[in-house]
Amino acid sequence: LKEAALKEDLKFYFMNPCEKYRARRQIPWKLALQILKILMVTTQLIFFGLSNQLVVSFKEENTIAFKHLFLKGYSGVDEDDYSCSIYTQQDAYDSIFYVINQYKQLKNISLGTLGYDHEGSGLKICKQQYKKGTMLPSNDTLNIDVSTETECIFFKPQELAGKKAELKLNSSFFNLEFYRLIQVEISFKLKGIALQTIHARELPDCYAFQNTITFNNRAHSGKIKIYFDSDTDIQECKDWHVFGSVLQKNTQYILVFDGFVILSCFASLILCTRSIVLALRLQKRFVNFFLEKYKRHVCHADRLEFINGWYVLVIVSDVMTIIGSILKMEIKAKNLTSYDVCSILLGTSTLFVWVGVIRYLGYFQTYNVLILTMQASLPKVLRFCCCAGMIYLGYTFCGWIVLGPYHEKFEDLNTVAECLFSLVNGDDMFATFAQIQQKSTLVWLFSRLYLYSFISLFIYMILSLFIALITDSYDTIKKYQQSGFPVTDLHEFLKDHGSVGYRKEQTSMPFICCC
């Protein structure tokens, strides 16, 4: 009786939702809830994405506006490293004083909803330079102290129109000695309000823009690069009053919808956790019975049959959706501004939800091939990638140190790794060959040997072997589906157990099982 009851419970556990309904009329709540959750989570993500899109566009458009406002002669086109360049001393002085003058007239010239940050230090200008020395390039002589010193000067918004500001502008601080100047950094903070969210029936956000303009002269090559960097921080508006019932009702509806998403994910979390707990209990029963009757332990593979990885994935997805939805509700109510954290949580959870759909497709033999092939090939693929990764790293370091001074795609390690990965996928090959500078014949010949050997090795050999591993696993799975999978102790234990107890007259069936 004990063995029959165990076999019956095991047989029922490994059934799919529709078979469970036919056997015991158990309604597949988890399946229905997952389908409902997919629709709700995806809808929630679309709403948040549209809202986040307004935030991104506001940041980008303000950054472009700041460049046109504070960079003298800005044409709207940056160099490859997002910088502009000047070549004369007069250009350097004109660019620095241009920033000060534009900051002074900001309210009269800006088209945006911008204002000064009166709580901060205003406009801050710092210059970093080597200590005193002399330099005579014509005589090849140099006498300089390489230790650096930094001087700063501040301009408050309210004092820019006064005599105090004029005295500072005429001070010796602005007498730059370019032969020992390393960089000049101008930083200031501005505040703004995004009103475009009102058109999307959302409450507006308050922004703080920390802008930094850097005149980089570290190379002392006759070319000063100007970098503009704007760090945007979304802040809570301290005192806001928005009149109109449409905005308030729209916010309330979205908050209620987010609440339903949290409830559905919480219910899914409870059901999946319960299933895992029951599976572990059933595993313990089977292991103890097997040890008691056959005097041997159950193999590791049979133990893993009880651990449903899809349930673990659903649990992780539910937890991330619940946390992300709470953050989204706080952002919607303008109590928090953690857009990045919320987008990571909601985006990843939606990814896991859609990946989890594969579990239900796996009940059909035609769709199950993908899952079984991935499971069979994963260990071999990981071992293969470890070996191939060693060769890849070797080529990465070699290309960086040898070709870095002669090719822009090999200037730093990250760029080299991205360039080589593009070459493996057959992208941008001719440009990589053509852009090598032919200043050194030895390096040019080495670059040809380097690129030809890398492409030949990775595309013709390593990539082909990688595909062959997956193809081999696919062929194995197809053979198993035709002739039968290898029989384990668990399958042998259940083989003789019929499903007579489950065969009931099928009078009705849920719509979802019919599908």
Side-chain angles (χ1 to χ4, degrees):
L1 291 176
K2 184 178 179 181
E3 180 177 354
L6 178 59
K7 286 184 176 181
E8 185 174 321
D9 291 340
L10 288 172
K11 192 80 173 179
F12 183 77
Y13 174 75
F14 290 108
M15 289 180 176
N16 63 46
C18 295
E19 291 173 342
K20 289 180 179 179
Y21 177 80
R22 297 190 192 104
R24 296 182 180 178
R25 289 295 183 269
Q26 178 175 308
I27 300 176
W29 294 110
K30 286 195 294 292
L31 173 59
L33 190 58
Q34 294 306 314
I35 294 174
L36 175 64
K37 196 177 72 174
I38 287 173
L39 298 175
M40 297 183 70
V41 169
T42 305
T43 304
Q44 181 193 46
L45 186 74
I46 291 173
F47 284 144
F48 181 74
L50 294 174
S51 176
N52 200 23
Q53 187 176 338
L54 297 177
V55 175
V56 173
S57 65
F58 186 76
K59 291 180 181 179
E60 291 179 349
E61 290 172 6
N62 271 276
T63 301
I64 296 173
F66 289 148
K67 287 185 177 182
H68 283 278
L69 280 174
F70 297 106
L71 298 183
K72 183 177 175 61
Y74 181 68
S75 63
V77 180
D78 294 328
E79 296 182 8
D80 292 337
D81 56 352
Y82 302 102
S83 68
C84 306
S85 299
I86 53 177
Y87 299 91
T88 66
Q89 295 184 14
Q90 188 60 44
D91 287 341
Y93 284 116
D94 289 345
S95 298
I96 293 173
F97 288 114
Y98 182 80
V99 175
I100 300 172
N101 187 52
Q102 292 293 95
Y103 181 79
K104 174 184 175 181
Q105 304 179 45
L106 179 66
K107 291 187 177 179
N108 297 325
I109 60 176
S110 174
L111 297 173
T113 55
L114 297 173
Y116 299 114
D117 179 26
H118 294 285
E119 298 176 358
S121 58
L123 186 72
K124 177 183 176 182
I125 305 176
C126 294
K127 64 177 182 180
Q128 184 184 18
Q129 57 190 6
Y130 297 115
K131 289 191 174 179
K132 290 288 184 182
T134 57
M135 181 183 298
L136 296 172
S138 58
N139 295 333
D140 298 328
T141 58
L142 173 67
N143 180 19
I144 194 166
D145 188 351
V146 295
S147 55
T148 60
E149 58 183 7
T150 303
E151 297 179 51
C152 294
I153 192 170
F154 300 89
F155 293 92
K156 291 283 186 180
Q158 58 269 21
E159 68 179 22
L160 281 171
K163 293 184 178 179
K164 190 175 181 180
E166 292 184 11
L167 292 174
K168 289 182 179 180
L169 291 173
N170 296 324
S171 64
S172 60
F173 176 85
F174 290 98
N175 295 328
L176 304 176
E177 296 176 298
F178 290 92
Y179 77 92
R180 65 190 187 99
L181 179 69
I182 299 174
Q183 71 174 27
V184 175
E185 186 176 280
I186 304 176
S187 58
F188 53 93
K189 190 173 184 179
L190 300 175
K191 290 192 172 182
I193 300 175
L195 295 179
Q196 65 174 344
T197 55
I198 294 178
H199 300 290
R201 297 184 178 181
E202 294 185 16
L203 297 173
D205 288 319
C206 294
Y207 290 78
F209 302 97
Q210 182 61 51
N211 300 315
T212 305
I213 303 173
T214 304
F215 296 79
N216 191 334
N217 192 39
R218 293 181 181 275
H220 289 87
S221 60
K223 173 182 176 180
I224 294 181
K225 290 189 173 184
I226 305 175
Y227 295 93
F228 184 91
D229 182 58
S230 181
D231 290 329
T232 308
D233 184 27
I234 305 174
Q235 300 178 339
E236 301 175 30
C237 295
K238 296 180 180 178
D239 186 21
W240 53 270
H241 301 282
V242 179
F243 302 98
S245 59
V246 177
L247 290 178
Q248 311 245 341
K249 287 182 178 180
N250 184 66
T251 302
Q252 292 172 358
Y253 292 152
I254 294 180
L255 291 177
V256 170
F257 179 76
D258 291 335
F260 279 115
V261 173
I262 293 175
L263 289 176
S264 65
C265 290
F266 192 69
S268 172
L269 178 65
I270 293 175
L271 291 175
C272 291
T273 305
R274 173 180 170 273
S275 297
I276 289 179
V277 172
L278 294 177
L280 292 175
R281 290 180 181 175
L282 186 60
Q283 181 200 61
K284 187 177 181 181
R285 282 177 57 195
F286 175 67
V287 170
N288 292 337
F289 178 82
F290 208 80
L291 183 63
E292 179 183 345
K293 182 175 181 179
Y294 299 104
K295 307 301 181 186
R296 57 192 177 93
H297 294 282
V298 177
C299 66
H300 185 66
D302 281 344
R303 289 173 181 264
L304 290 179
E305 289 280 345
F306 291 88
I307 308 299
N308 195 324
W310 297 111
Y311 288 156
V312 177
L313 185 69
V314 171
I315 289 174
V316 173
S317 171
D318 289 337
V319 172
M320 297 180 74
T321 304
I322 291 171
I323 299 174
S325 299
I326 293 174
L327 290 177
K328 181 178 178 294
M329 294 173 73
E330 291 295 314
I331 292 172
K332 195 69 181 176
K334 303 305 175 185
N335 297 324
L336 285 178
T337 56
S338 307
Y339 275 92
D340 292 337
V341 178
C342 184
S343 60
I344 290 173
L345 289 171
L346 291 181
T348 309
S349 64
T350 307
L351 169 65
F352 289 163
V353 166
W354 279 98
V355 171
V357 178
I358 300 177
R359 177 198 174 219
Y360 299 104
L361 295 177
Y363 293 132
F364 305 96
Q365 185 175 350
T366 307
Y367 298 102
N368 200 29
V369 176
L370 173 62
I371 304 171
L372 296 177
T373 304
M374 291 173 62
Q375 290 176 347
S377 62
L378 185 61
K380 294 183 287 186
V381 167
L382 291 178
R383 289 193 294 268
F384 181 80
C385 287
C386 289
C387 298
M390 303 301 173
I391 306 175
Y392 190 85
L393 285 175
Y395 270 93
T396 301
F397 286 113
C398 178
W400 173 52
I401 200 67
V402 178
L403 304 180
Y406 301 94
H407 202 300
E408 63 178 7
K409 292 185 178 180
F410 292 83
E411 289 180 351
D412 58 76
L413 275 174
N414 185 46
T415 309
V416 176
E418 293 171 355
C419 175
L420 294 182
F421 188 77
S422 299
L423 289 176
V424 171
N425 291 279
D427 183 33
D428 216 18
M429 283 193 182
F430 178 77
T432 305
F433 276 96
Q435 290 176 7
I436 187 73
Q437 300 177 15
Q438 299 185 19
K439 293 182 178 180
S440 171
T441 305
L442 180 62
V443 174
W444 185 85
L445 291 173
F446 179 85
S447 70
R448 264 46 193 168
L449 177 64
Y450 173 87
L451 292 173
Y452 279 122
S453 62
F454 176 82
I455 293 171
S456 301
L457 179 63
F458 271 83
I459 291 183
Y460 302 138
M461 184 179 293
I462 294 179
L463 195 59
S464 299
L465 288 174
F466 182 85
I467 297 173
L469 287 175
I470 301 175
T471 306
D472 180 63
S473 299
Y474 175 79
D475 292 337
T476 304
I477 296 300
K478 292 294 288 184
K479 290 179 182 178
Y480 284 162
Q481 287 185 334
Q482 294 173 0
S483 59
F485 286 85
V487 179
T488 63
D489 291 335
L490 178 60
H491 298 146
E492 191 70 31
F493 183 73
L494 293 174
K495 188 169 64 173
D496 297 331
H497 181 71
S499 55
V500 178
Y502 297 116
R503 292 173 184 166
K504 296 184 179 180
E505 195 64 31
Q506 191 171 332
T507 56
S508 63
M509 188 181 296
F511 171 74
I512 204 163
C513 289
C514 293
C515 293

